[in-house]
Amino acid sequence: MNQVPQNSTLLTAVNEASSRWKMAFNTGDAAGCTAQYEASAIMQAIPFGTFTGHAEIQAFWQQLIDDGFSDVEYIEPKIKVLDATTAVLSSKWKMNKAHGVIHKELWVLQADGTAKLKEDRFEAQG
């Protein structure tokens, strides 16, 4: 896929942050997952509910990890660049005890060059 040069920084940051999130989850590190979100991020986890901010988001991921969920893998992820600082990732996903769809991960490029999740909307389908 041929990307315009100004998007390379954003795409690199999104791919790196997404990899950090998956690695944190797969190693049982809920705080590491949460570190990939903006402080006021909103996460809609269908059918579980909506979680806002680091404390609620970390509690959600910690509960899943405590319940033995692991080995998350994205299947055919797609990243759509919206502008110079925002991109949306969508994908199917699977893990050891569930699978589903990521409808929208809205990643925002931060001042330090990293990307953080502003919105996360996904669905567990089994």
Side-chain angles (χ1 to χ4, degrees):
M1 184 189 286
N2 200 2
Q3 296 290 337
V4 288
Q6 67 265 29
N7 293 338
S8 64
T9 300
L10 175 61
L11 288 169
T12 298
V14 169
N15 281 309
E16 288 175 353
S18 180
S19 291
R20 281 192 300 274
W21 185 93
K22 288 179 276 192
M23 184 182 302
F25 184 81
N26 289 336
T27 59
D29 180 6
C33 293
T34 305
Q36 304 314 310
Y37 291 82
E38 291 185 345
S40 61
I42 297 172
M43 182 178 79
Q44 183 183 22
I46 302 165
F48 307 103
T50 301
F51 306 88
T52 304
H54 279 171
E56 290 182 13
I57 290 169
Q58 184 166 335
F60 175 84
W61 292 123
Q62 188 63 60
Q63 185 63 56
L64 246 62
I65 290 165
D66 290 349
D67 288 344
F69 289 83
S70 64
D71 304 318
V72 72
E73 184 181 324
Y74 287 12
I75 303 162
E76 300 173 358
K78 295 174 182 61
I79 299 174
K80 180 180 179 185
V81 172
L82 302 180
D83 59 36
T85 60
T86 56
V88 172
L89 184 148
S90 59
S91 184
K92 296 175 189 169
W93 60 268
K94 67 179 182 176
M95 60 175 65
N96 65 329
K97 296 169 91 175
H99 68 274
V101 176
I102 298 167
H103 297 288
K104 178 182 184 183
E105 286 184 355
L106 179 63
W107 292 93
V108 178
L109 192 63
Q110 307 295 300
D112 66 0
T114 63
K116 300 267 186 204
L117 281 163
K118 182 180 187 79
E119 293 177 41
D120 187 4
R121 189 166 60 89
F122 65 92
E123 182 174 357
Q125 299 175 324

